[in-house]
Structures are given as structure tokens and as C-alpha cells.
Amino acid sequence: MDLKKLLTSYQTLDQKTITLIGRIRSNRQGKVVSFAVINDGTDINDVQVVYKSDIQGHEDALKARVGSIVEATGKIILTPGKPQPFEIQATAITLLDQAIEEYPLQKKEHTPEFLREIAHLRARTKTYNAVFRVRSTLAFAIHKFFQEQNFVYVQTPIITSNDAEGAGEAFVVTTRSDDKYEQDFFGKKASLTVSGQLNAEAYAQAFKNVYTFGPTFRAENSFTTKHASEFWMIEPEVAFADLQDNIKLIEEMLKSIISYLFEKNKAELEFLEATQEEGLIKKLEGIIKADFAVMKYEEVLEVLKKAISNGHQFEEKNIVFGLDLGTEHERYICEQFNKKPTFVIDYPKDIKAFYMKENDDKKTVAAVDLLVPGIGELVGGSQREASFDKIIQRVRDMKINEEELSWYTDLRRFGYFKSSGFGLGFERLVMYVTGMANIRDVIPYPRTPKNLLF
Amino acid sequence: MDLKKLLTSYQTLDQKTITLIGRIRSNRQGKVVSFAVINDGTDINDVQVVYKSDIQGHEDALKARVGSIVEATGKIILTPGKPQPFEIQATAITLLDQAIEEYPLQKKEHTPEFLREIAHLRARTKTYNAVFRVRSTLAFAIHKFFQEQNFVYVQTPIITSNDAEGAGEAFVVTTRSDDKYEQDFFGKKASLTVSGQLNAEAYAQAFKNVYTFGPTFRAENSFTTKHASEFWMIEPEVAFADLQDNIKLIEEMLKSIISYLFEKNKAELEFLEATQEEGLIKKLEGIIKADFAVMKYEEVLEVLKKAISNGHQFEEKNIVFGLDLGTEHERYICEQFNKKPTFVIDYPKDIKAFYMKENDDKKTVAAVDLLVPGIGELVGGSQREASFDKIIQRVRDMKINEEELSWYTDLRRFGYFKSSGFGLGFERLVMYVTGMANIRDVIPYPRTPKNLLF
């Protein structure tokens, strides 16, 4: 029987004999009885096995080190009033595999830095077990949400010859050790994708509702707690949809996936609230309950100016049209001003990507960022420019390779009526939901500059 | 209203007025009434809009070219006895966006080769719409199957410094145009992963049940219908599980995902059966109904020898221990001998990977391949070598970089008791299930040697 099943059905198993294979978390010899705490990885909670000296395998059981694998057979005894609701009174314990004495995860506190060096082992700790189980559930919740709404999952390419919006530097993919790319594997320069959006947009014209969910890459030398060289993105795209539809979809998606998480991983969230972020659960419940606010970018500027005149201190005080809002501004808007998640729309054209739809004022675009308490921007999206002439002009103005992108801009010539979509950085979401402060701690094997282990 | 909703609820909508936005598939002017067939991408089936000369927007409607986007408002009229069960009698049609005359997807047959050149448009055809919808459903079915069994989805790294089992050539990932990798972004040579298995195995020791589902890469100059440079793999891994558990999991997974596909995409499968592979549905039903056979590799050899002596012609006739079974042998076993999916187990050690568990006979390993009628091998897996000494010996014998893999082999020192898993090439599964004969036709934007478009 696996531990998860045992933990959900123990009440019906009083006095019944069961067998469980698991890893030793601790093993303490007492005068009369000894106690082994074991876990098989299927649940965040452990089970305590109590064993006396007359059981089969007693000697081996006593020797079993932390990290070792044992098979325990015994009777379930309900223990109302004790911290754990039941224990196993062993009749036999078999030591299946003994861990070495130098097992790195002894029963004590370890720093995140130390645990990153043993990324292949850290998911055995309660914290990382919770984090990576939440990550898995969130990934599934996203698929579930979109599939139930008849969205088609499009696995857009990882190796690409275009770099989306020129966002950041791209890694080169090659089989050569020089730059003669015309003689390279693909006969031209190839890179790792920075976004699947443009490819997904073409598919939205075929299926109406599509989404991508795959890895993306940035060759940026950023040594921050928020940047990784490899991370996953979710990029939905809906044909015939405008910015308002987009906003509605973002709000529904977030509420749906967080609700699903509460349903599946309440224990993990409670553990993370206790160890990582006070108020985590209330913060997440806030997302589910709130009616998100919507503000125009220019309204945001007015609020920020007023805040400054009322004595609020921002590092960037020069609040003028064209300012790329900083995290401090974003957090002020959603935490202090609206006190709830806030969509900011209609950003200045010049600080946004070429494919965003120009508004009638000719100076702003139909962009949207979702700001959430605690971190600021979580999602960014837009309605796409539908006019062939306008998007070509933007491509030229921004000196993007027109020829390389012609397949994309040509979509406007092959029957096109509105399209909107957004991007959600998956790791940013996992950090937000788990309370983990460093992106390296929400990726199983993180990749950052000068760091390529496992 | 979107088309899918309309097609599932039309019976309750007789004489009701609805509005639909969609793309023109054909537009034919008749003497009294004209006919526009439109589709919004949410369903494989189209809807026919009938319009007379007195409707609002009649002139524009007549002009609307194939590929254009229109909004049609009209009354649902049930048409029992006709091929389509209902039609829309339009009261107004608005031409939202006119496609250019040179729209590449005119209403006629196109070759797969031509359609590959317009991969950004081909999902608008019925065939590719069906293929990529099935692909999406299959991807979700796989997640659903594993999540419901409490497997944790582990997103293993794409950029890696080890190349798993040395399977095939790997692409280099770099920010330089020379081979001074010690000065490169990661401070060492980096490649694109060929498998997430080893990383997943470490996580199975933390969660018991895990699976990966992500892109993998091969820099092989293969110009076949079955090879792509970028493809997705599913790699489940279960701690404390042996080869028999593995076999059971493979069979359950396949039956579950194909059943889910019948539930969701019956219309697409029927279309693909009619256009791509006769007997497709019967073949897939066979998977669901069959009790898969299990045979040892050496039993397979005996059957093949007997077949030859009975006059069966194989290209490779030298049936000796150590032979890597060809597709012809695999298909003979599952199609002619067992007439159902067949697991072959206990392959010669020398033709299998270093991490597979050596059997007591010292010459075979606890490997399993699943052979299915129509293609041969679909899944490959094994129980892993649990002995630290034995796996180190194998690493040395096969001249694999021992140091680079020490984190993986060390798992055997940190408490280890059995582990089994398998790999399923996602595109191979999609080809099998859709009847498509070329891997380029089941990947949205395929990557093959000298081919990097979009």
C-alpha cells in the first residue's frame, strides 16, 4: 500500500495489518520501543512505525540509517489525541537498502544554497517535496482549464530561426564550432526559442482557441533571484477575441488553477505558509475571491503622481508618459491603491512589442499587464495588430527582419479578424503560489549563468 | 456562439436566431439562394449558411473569398434527411476581413509536401485540423492518466551537460562562435537533451511516481519519414517497481489514453480512418480490448527461426542471440504470431543501455519493448540496475564519462530499492493513432536536417 492511500483510508483500517515500503526520515531507539519515521514520497506527511525488540528483523531495523529503504509490516493503531492520528505497530521490518553514512540529507536544517548543490536529492525534503508537487499540480491545472474550454494545445518549436520580438539574447543551436551557419545542420543560424507566441497565433487562426506550454530560453547574464536561462511559458491565443475577452480569460484562468490547487494540495500550501510565507493562503484566497480591477496606464500615472505628492517614496519618481512601470509602482497600484489584482491596459506604444494593436489615439496599444499583490506583474498580453499595413510599418520602424517574419505578418492577408493572447511565466506563478523567493528553488534542475549541473 | 457549441446543441435551437463568426471554406452563388460553408476552427465539421439576395450585406457576402472571415446571423433550420442535420438561413452577413485572391488554401486537394511549406496555414485543412486536435487530446490524456494516479510531473532540463546514454548526436547550445566552452555561457559545453530519464529517476526516489513530458533532440542527419530533430517524449519512472509493474503501467496507460481519445475525438478518428488509414479505428479498439502478450527475447528468436524454416522471408535472416530485432521481426511477432500487442523482455545486455538491470543469467537485462501491430516498437523501458558496483562497472565498460554521471550512479548509495520506467516517443504515438505516415505531418512546425521554417 502506498502512503497516500494509507493516509486517506487509515480510519477504516484500525487493527488491520498492512505493508509499506518507504525511506527512513528518522530512526530513534527507545528503552522499550523504537520509532522509525518513514515516507515513500507519495504524500507530504510521514508515518511513524513503532517497533519492539521481538519483531522480525529488529536488529536490521535498528541499524537502518536516514535515507535507507525499509519494508514495514504491522498493525494500524488509531491514536486519537496524539499529534499523528495513527501509527503502525510493526511485526516485521526488512532493511531493503542501507544508505551510506555520509547521506547528505541528515535530519537537520539545510540552507537553500546547499540544497541547490544536491538538486537531485532536495525533493526528498518536505519543503521541496511540497514545491515540486505544487508545480506539477499547477501544470496540470493549466492544461485542464484550457482543455475543458476546447483550447488546442500546440507544441510550438524549441529550435527556431526567428527570435519573436527580439526579447533578450538567444542561445545558438549548432553542430559546428564556428559560425559558418549556412553549412550548419539546418543550413542557417538556429536559436532556442524565446517565445512560442507567433507560432501559436498562426494556429489560433485554425482552431480559434489554442495555447502553448513549453520551455523558453534567455542567454542573459542576469544573476538575480528572478531570472533563469531556461523556464516554461504558457501562451494562450484566441482568434476573434479583443482585449476585454483577453482580460476575462486571464482572470478566469488564474481563479480556476488556484482553486484546483486548493482542492489537491491544501496540505502542501499549509506547510509552505508555515515555513515560507506568512499569509500565503490568504493571499491566494484573495485571488479567487477578488473582482480584479482594470485601470488605464494613464490613470495609473495620475495615481502614482498623487501618491508622490502625498509623500509616498518611489525610487523612480519621474512619472511621465512613456515610463516603463517598475515593480514598486506596480505593487503600489495593486497593494495600496486597489488592494486587489489589477489589470493595467493601454500602454505607450513605444515601450511595447511590434505586434500589439495600435489604439485610436495612435500613441498607446491594446496591451494588458496583470499586477498582483506581492510581486507586481504576473501576466502580460495584448490584442494583436490586425492591419497588414500597420504591422509592416511597425516591423520596419523597429528594424525587425521583415523577410524572416513574413509568414507571420502575412496572416493578416489570409483572412484575419482580431486575435488576442497573453504570456504567463510558469516559474513566476510557481514562486507566487509557493512563497519561494528564488526561481532556482522552483525549477527541478535550474539553469543560470555558469551553472549547469545534473 | 462558437461552432462546437452550435453543433452539440442545434437540436434545441430549431428556428432560433444565432450569430457565428467563421472562415469561409467555400462560397457558391446559386440562382435563388447562395451557399457559404464556414468554420471557426472549434470543430472539425462545418456549417452551411444559406443566404438570399434580400439579406443585409448580400453584396459583400457574395464577394467573400475562400479564407475570409465573416459574421453570419440567421435562423437555425433543422434539415432531417439531408447530409448535414441543419443549416443557417442568414438574415445578415458581414464580411469582417477579406482574404487575398492568392490565398494558398483554395478548395482543392493539396499534397502533404505543399502543405509542409505552409505549416502555419495547414491546420486550417480538415486533415491537419484533425491531426493536431488529436495530438492535443493525446497530450492531455497522458497528463490526466498520470496525475490521476498521483504521479508528479517533473519538467526535466532541456539544456544539459550530459547526454543520457550517448544515444545519437546532440546539438550544442552556445553563445560563442568557437569551441572555447570553458568561456561559454555555462562555463562548459552544453547540449540539448536527448532524454530526461536520468533526471527523472532521481525524482522518482523523492516522489515514488513521476513522469516527464517534454521536448528532446537528435542532431542526426536522417532523412526518413520517422525521424525529426526535435520531438517530445514521455518518460515515467516508478521507484520500488520491477519490470512486471512497468509492463502493467505501459498497458494501462495506452488503454487509458486511447479510450479517452475515443471519448473526445471520435469524429476526427472517423475522418482520419476515411482519409488516411483504413481500419484505423479497429486497430485502436484492438489496443483497448487486447490482453497484451509477453514473450522473452529468446522465445522470439525461436519463433522467428521457425517462421524462416516455414518459408517466411525476412531481410535479416541471421537470427542469433545479440540480434537487434528489426521492424520486420517486431511486426511479425505482434501481427502474425501473437496477433496483438506484445511485450518482449530480457534483451541481450550488449545491445541495451548501461542503466538496465542485469538478469541472473548475466547475459540479458530486464528490458522491455512494446511491439504493436502496424509499426513495431512503440515503447521501450527497463528495470534499472540497483547495484552501485554493477552500474559503475557498466559505465566503465561502455566508456561513459564516470565523473559527469556520478550524481546519477550515486543514487544507489543514498537508499535505493528498485526503479523502473519507460520512454514513449510522443510523435510516434500520434502517427500511430492518426494513421499519418510521415512524422513531419504530426508536428506543428517540424524540424529536420536543412529544414528550419517558421
Side-chain angles (χ1 to χ4, degrees):
Chain A
M1 181 177 295
D2 74 26
L3 182 55
K4 188 180 180 71
K5 192 167 173 203
L6 179 57
L7 289 170
T8 50
S9 63
Y10 68 90
Q11 283 171 311
T12 66
L13 294 171
D14 191 23
Q15 305 295 324
K16 296 263 171 32
T17 294
I18 60 109
T19 293
L20 181 76
I21 293 176
R23 191 180 302 277
I24 300 270
R25 296 185 75 93
S26 70
N27 193 5
R28 180 165 58 87
Q29 183 170 11
K31 276 194 183 147
V32 184
V33 293
S34 300
F35 304 90
V37 174
I38 69 175
N39 191 306
D40 68 359
T42 60
D43 199 282
I44 193 175
N45 291 305
D46 307 318
V47 65
Q48 179 162 272
V49 177
V50 182
Y51 60 100
K52 294 189 183 157
S53 59
D54 60 350
I55 67 155
Q56 196 184 318
H58 179 253
E59 221 166 297
D60 277 357
L62 279 181
K63 280 192 305 195
R65 301 190 191 108
V66 171
S68 303
I69 308 291
V70 295
E71 179 180 86
T73 299
K75 220 188 259 184
I76 305 283
I77 307 291
L78 300 190
T79 52
K82 286 201 188 173
Q84 64 275 23
F86 72 95
E87 59 187 29
I88 299 177
Q89 282 187 0
T91 52
I93 294 179
T94 311
L95 177 55
L96 295 172
D97 192 58
Q98 178 76 299
I100 59 173
E101 269 185 78
E102 302 77 18
Y103 182 68
L105 286 171
Q106 296 302 323
K107 195 176 155 55
K108 61 165 191 168
E109 286 285 316
H110 302 283
T111 65
E113 291 75 19
F114 168 74
L115 291 170
R116 275 173 222 145
E117 288 168 22
I118 50 166
H120 60 316
L121 302 178
R122 66 177 172 170
R124 300 179 184 189
T125 67
K126 268 200 173 10
T127 299
Y128 291 89
N129 199 282
V131 166
F132 291 114
R133 194 179 294 280
V134 166
R135 182 178 168 120
S136 169
T137 302
L138 276 177
F140 184 65
I142 287 163
H143 281 296
K144 187 169 178 285
F145 172 79
F146 286 113
Q147 295 271 340
E148 285 174 355
Q149 303 207 29
N150 198 32
F151 278 61
V152 170
Y153 177 31
V154 183
Q155 285 154 329
T156 51
I158 311 303
I159 302 175
T160 178
S161 60
N162 64 54
D163 69 348
E165 36 183 313
E169 294 162 55
F171 288 102
V172 171
V173 175
T174 182
T175 56
R176 298 184 64 87
S177 53
D178 58 32
D179 58 359
K180 293 183 179 152
Y181 300 124
E182 71 286 356
Q183 293 166 46
D184 208 346
F185 188 88
F186 292 109
K188 58 170 127 171
K189 190 173 180 179
S191 336
L192 287 180
T193 187
V194 300
S195 162
Q197 178 196 316
L198 304 192
N199 296 286
E201 281 190 46
Y203 266 64
Q205 292 298 319
F207 290 107
K208 187 169 183 285
N209 308 305
V210 301
Y211 68 108
T212 69
F213 191 169
T216 55
F217 306 86
R218 294 282 188 290
E220 273 169 41
N221 261 308
S222 303
F223 291 88
T224 79
T225 56
K226 291 180 182 172
H227 290 86
S229 309
E230 176 178 319
F231 55 95
W232 287 61
M233 291 263 286
I234 297 103
E235 297 175 292
E237 185 77 22
V238 181
F240 319 146
D242 62 18
L243 196 67
Q244 287 310 312
D245 299 320
N246 210 14
I247 285 172
K248 193 162 162 256
L249 183 65
I250 296 169
E251 186 168 341
E252 283 174 2
M253 177 199 70
L254 268 186
K255 290 180 173 176
S256 163
I257 61 182
I258 292 174
S259 299
Y260 186 75
L261 192 64
F262 274 110
E263 197 183 304
K264 292 288 170 185
N265 294 140
K266 193 71 190 297
E268 284 78 4
L269 291 176
E270 281 166 359
F271 180 80
L272 291 165
E273 153 137 324
T275 58
Q276 302 297 324
E277 182 183 329
E278 212 187 307
L280 178 70
I281 287 176
K282 211 176 146 202
K283 178 184 86 176
L284 298 178
E285 285 171 346
I287 297 276
I288 297 172
K289 287 178 196 153
D291 272 327
F292 295 10
V294 182
M295 288 177 81
K296 284 176 190 289
Y297 170 85
E298 291 185 82
E299 292 169 356
V300 166
L301 295 191
E302 292 312 310
V303 170
L304 295 177
K305 281 183 204 162
K306 204 166 169 190
I308 289 173
S309 70
N310 288 340
H312 191 89
Q313 298 293 323
F314 292 114
E315 284 206 17
E316 175 58 71
K317 301 171 181 61
N318 189 19
I319 309 297
V320 291
F321 185 86
L323 170 71
D324 207 352
L325 301 179
T327 303
E328 56 174 347
H329 308 123
E330 294 174 340
R331 292 186 59 172
Y332 178 84
I333 292 297
C334 61
E335 291 171 14
Q336 314 232 29
F337 185 72
N338 283 322
K339 297 187 175 61
K340 60 184 178 180
T342 302
F343 291 107
V344 178
I345 60 171
D346 297 343
Y347 282 82
K349 181 165 85 169
D350 292 340
I351 59 170
K352 288 290 182 183
F354 76 94
Y355 48 70
M356 297 189 179
K357 181 184 164 59
E358 190 182 79
N359 288 324
D360 292 341
D361 63 16
K362 308 253 184 201
K363 62 176 190 172
T364 63
V365 285
V368 58
D369 280 0
L370 173 64
L371 316 181
V372 294
I375 54 167
E377 185 196 337
L378 181 64
V379 178
S382 70
Q383 183 172 341
R384 317 310 185 186
E385 180 58 66
S387 155
F388 179 74
D389 293 341
K390 279 189 183 174
I391 200 162
I392 285 289
Q393 194 54 54
R394 285 284 282 164
V395 164
R396 288 176 188 163
D397 288 350
M398 298 178 76
K399 298 189 174 28
I400 295 167
N401 186 333
E402 189 176 333
E403 178 61 24
E404 194 65 54
L405 271 187
S406 62
W407 67 270
Y408 171 72
T409 48
D410 271 357
L411 293 174
R412 280 78 183 159
R413 306 167 73 211
F414 299 148
Y416 190 97
F417 175 69
K418 289 182 184 168
S419 189
S420 294
F422 63 88
L424 167 65
F426 185 53
E427 280 74 10
R428 182 163 271 234
L429 176 69
V430 180
M431 288 170 74
Y432 184 67
V433 158
T434 57
M436 301 300 281
N438 193 315
I439 195 167
R440 293 168 184 82
D441 296 332
V442 300
I443 298 178
Y445 302 90
R447 272 73 178 100
T448 51
K450 304 293 170 208
N451 171 38
L452 183 63
L453 298 169
F454 314 104
Chain B
M1 180 178 294
D2 75 25
L3 181 56
K4 189 180 180 70
K5 192 166 173 203
L6 179 57
L7 289 171
T8 49
S9 63
Y10 68 88
Q11 283 170 313
T12 66
L13 293 171
D14 191 23
Q15 304 295 324
K16 295 263 171 28
T17 294
I18 61 106
T19 293
L20 181 76
I21 292 176
R23 190 180 304 278
I24 299 271
R25 294 186 78 93
S26 70
N27 193 6
R28 179 166 59 84
Q29 185 170 10
K31 273 193 182 146
V32 183
V33 292
S34 300
F35 304 90
V37 173
I38 69 176
N39 191 306
D40 70 358
T42 60
D43 198 283
I44 193 175
N45 292 304
D46 307 317
V47 65
Q48 178 162 274
V49 177
V50 182
Y51 60 99
K52 294 187 181 157
S53 58
D54 61 349
I55 67 156
Q56 196 184 318
H58 178 251
E59 221 166 297
D60 277 356
L62 279 182
K63 281 194 307 195
R65 300 189 191 109
V66 172
S68 302
I69 308 291
V70 294
E71 180 180 85
T73 298
K75 219 187 259 183
I76 305 283
I77 306 292
L78 300 190
T79 52
K82 285 198 188 176
Q84 65 274 25
F86 72 96
E87 60 188 27
I88 299 178
Q89 283 186 359
T91 51
I93 293 179
T94 310
L95 177 55
L96 295 173
D97 192 58
Q98 178 76 301
I100 59 173
E101 268 185 79
E102 302 77 18
Y103 183 66
L105 285 171
Q106 297 301 323
K107 195 176 156 54
K108 60 165 190 166
E109 285 286 316
H110 300 284
T111 65
E113 291 75 18
F114 169 73
L115 291 170
R116 273 174 224 147
E117 287 169 21
I118 50 168
H120 59 317
L121 302 179
R122 65 178 172 171
R124 300 178 184 191
T125 67
K126 269 200 172 9
T127 299
Y128 291 89
N129 200 281
V131 167
F132 291 113
R133 194 178 293 280
V134 166
R135 183 179 168 117
S136 169
T137 302
L138 277 177
F140 184 64
I142 288 162
H143 281 297
K144 187 168 177 287
F145 172 79
F146 286 113
Q147 294 270 341
E148 284 175 356
Q149 303 206 30
N150 199 31
F151 278 60
V152 170
Y153 177 31
V154 183
Q155 286 155 329
T156 50
I158 311 302
I159 302 174
T160 178
S161 60
N162 64 53
D163 67 349
E165 34 184 314
E169 295 162 56
F171 289 102
V172 170
V173 175
T174 181
T175 55
R176 299 185 63 86
S177 53
D178 58 31
D179 57 359
K180 292 183 180 152
Y181 301 123
E182 71 287 355
Q183 293 167 46
D184 207 347
F185 189 88
F186 292 109
K188 59 169 128 171
K189 190 174 181 179
S191 338
L192 288 181
T193 186
V194 300
S195 162
Q197 178 195 316
L198 304 191
N199 296 286
E201 280 189 47
Y203 267 63
Q205 292 299 320
F207 290 107
K208 188 170 182 281
N209 308 306
V210 301
Y211 68 108
T212 70
F213 191 170
T216 55
F217 306 85
R218 294 282 188 289
E220 273 170 40
N221 261 308
S222 303
F223 291 87
T224 79
T225 56
K226 290 180 181 171
H227 289 86
S229 309
E230 176 178 320
F231 54 96
W232 287 59
M233 291 262 286
I234 297 102
E235 295 175 293
E237 185 77 22
V238 181
F240 319 145
D242 63 17
L243 197 66
Q244 287 310 310
D245 299 320
N246 211 13
I247 285 173
K248 194 163 161 255
L249 183 64
I250 296 170
E251 185 168 340
E252 283 174 2
M253 178 198 70
L254 268 186
K255 289 179 174 176
S256 164
I257 61 182
I258 292 175
S259 300
Y260 186 76
L261 192 63
F262 274 110
E263 198 184 303
K264 292 288 170 185
N265 294 140
K266 193 71 190 294
E268 284 79 4
L269 291 176
E270 282 166 358
F271 180 80
L272 290 165
E273 153 137 323
T275 59
Q276 302 297 324
E277 183 182 328
E278 212 185 307
L280 177 70
I281 287 177
K282 210 176 147 202
K283 178 183 87 176
L284 297 179
E285 284 172 346
I287 297 278
I288 297 173
K289 287 178 197 155
D291 271 327
F292 294 11
V294 183
M295 288 177 81
K296 283 177 190 287
Y297 170 85
E298 291 185 82
E299 291 169 356
V300 166
L301 296 190
E302 292 312 310
V303 170
L304 295 177
K305 282 183 203 163
K306 203 166 169 189
I308 289 173
S309 71
N310 287 339
H312 192 89
Q313 297 293 322
F314 290 115
E315 283 206 19
E316 176 58 70
K317 301 171 181 63
N318 190 20
I319 308 297
V320 291
F321 185 86
L323 171 73
D324 207 352
L325 300 179
T327 303
E328 56 174 346
H329 308 123
E330 294 174 341
R331 292 186 60 173
Y332 179 83
I333 292 297
C334 61
E335 292 172 15
Q336 313 231 27
F337 184 71
N338 284 323
K339 296 189 174 61
K340 60 183 177 180
T342 302
F343 290 107
V344 178
I345 61 172
D346 297 344
Y347 282 82
K349 181 166 86 168
D350 293 339
I351 59 169
K352 289 289 182 183
F354 77 94
Y355 48 70
M356 297 189 180
K357 181 182 163 59
E358 190 181 79
N359 288 325
D360 292 340
D361 63 16
K362 307 254 183 200
K363 62 176 190 173
T364 63
V365 285
V368 57
D369 280 1
L370 172 64
L371 316 182
V372 294
I375 54 168
E377 185 196 336
L378 181 64
V379 178
S382 71
Q383 183 171 342
R384 317 310 186 186
E385 181 57 66
S387 155
F388 179 74
D389 293 340
K390 279 189 184 174
I391 200 162
I392 286 289
Q393 194 53 54
R394 284 285 279 165
V395 163
R396 287 176 189 163
D397 288 350
M398 296 177 77
K399 299 189 173 29
I400 295 166
N401 186 331
E402 189 177 331
E403 178 61 25
E404 193 66 52
L405 272 187
S406 62
W407 66 271
Y408 171 73
T409 47
D410 270 358
L411 293 174
R412 280 78 184 158
R413 306 167 72 210
F414 300 147
Y416 190 98
F417 174 69
K418 288 183 184 169
S419 189
S420 295
F422 62 89
L424 167 65
F426 186 52
E427 279 76 11
R428 182 163 272 233
L429 175 69
V430 180
M431 287 171 74
Y432 184 67
V433 158
T434 57
M436 300 301 280
N438 193 315
I439 195 169
R440 294 169 183 80
D441 296 331
V442 300
I443 299 177
Y445 302 90
R447 272 72 177 100
T448 50
K450 302 296 170 206
N451 171 39
L452 184 63
L453 298 168
F454 313 105

